[in-house]
Amino acid sequence: MTVVRRVASKDLRPDELVTLRALFDASWADDDRFTDEDWDHTFGGVHFVVEDGGAIVSHASVVKRVLHTNGLDLATGYVEAVATSPTHRRRGYSSAIMRAAGAYIDQTFQLGALGSDLHAFYERLGWIVWKGPTAVRTDEGVIATPKEDGYILVRLTPTSPQLDMAAQISCDWRSGDVW
């Protein structure tokens, strides 16, 4: 059985931070590079980790964000930095991490959200592709983010209001990838 440990960002040890950065860099080596801004987005919430031999080999974090849709401002558990070491993949670690993260989101937030093109993986764990257009809220107003359309998945929780999944959804601006 896979054991998932939950830890707040502030409680991560220095050696764990080093391990996490190496994990993220290895996991995104062939795709888009894991940037310093991506690193910053990973913190400020709760981390879910799987360890093997005392080292973290799989990770996801949930940070609080506010998403806007259907005229509502929704307290959202936003999933960041889902990664499993390339040498530890296909063992169910990411599924275990996302089940734990999903349970936390269900108990804590009005909505869960994440950005990914791995729809089949997340859909089997209860996530739904947002069908409507995406946007970001800036000081200049709401700006469409069409490259993110079809990339955002949400998780309805017991406290989610009824939502029109074809309506526009927006996030607040942040440096780096806004979604």
Side-chain angles (χ1 to χ4, degrees):
M1 182 171 108
T2 302
V3 176
V4 177
R5 180 171 62 102
R6 184 171 113 180
V7 59
S9 289
K10 66 180 180 60
D11 295 329
L12 287 166
R13 299 184 317 261
D15 63 303
E16 292 175 321
L17 295 173
V18 170
T19 298
L20 285 175
R21 186 58 195 238
L23 170 65
F24 302 153
D25 288 341
S27 295
W28 278 275
D30 296 330
D31 297 333
D32 293 330
R33 190 175 68 79
F34 193 83
T35 67
D36 289 341
E37 288 154 329
D38 295 330
W39 174 255
D40 291 342
H41 297 166
T42 303
F43 296 95
V46 176
H47 301 258
F48 298 88
V49 297
V50 171
E51 297 171 328
D52 183 12
I56 296 171
V57 297
S58 190
H59 171 275
S61 65
V62 177
V63 296
K64 182 178 181 180
R65 295 188 73 186
V66 176
L67 296 187
H68 313 273
T69 188
N70 295 269
L72 302 168
D73 299 331
L74 300 169
T76 303
Y78 199 83
V79 177
E80 296 281 2
V82 179
T84 298
S85 166
T87 60
H88 289 81
R89 292 185 180 156
R90 316 252 357 124
R91 299 182 192 184
Y93 294 161
S94 291
S95 294
I97 290 279
M98 287 308 300
R99 279 193 285 279
Y104 172 73
I105 290 167
D106 289 349
Q107 296 169 359
T108 311
F109 297 99
Q110 292 177 287
L111 188 69
L114 59 84
S116 178
D117 57 0
L118 301 175
H119 294 174
F121 171 76
Y122 290 104
E123 287 174 326
R124 71 178 174 80
L125 296 169
W127 294 79
I128 304 164
V129 177
W130 189 265
K131 301 295 184 200
T134 58
V136 61
R137 291 174 177 250
T138 70
D139 291 340
E140 290 78 37
V142 178
I143 300 171
T145 55
K147 290 183 180 179
E148 308 300 333
D149 293 355
Y151 181 74
I152 303 304
L153 291 95
V154 298
R155 180 181 182 90
L156 301 176
T157 73
T159 59
S160 293
Q162 187 169 1
L163 298 174
D164 175 1
M165 304 286 280
Q168 182 184 70
I169 191 167
S170 64
C171 61
D172 293 330
W173 184 89
R174 65 181 184 179
S175 63
D177 294 329
V178 296
W179 284 101

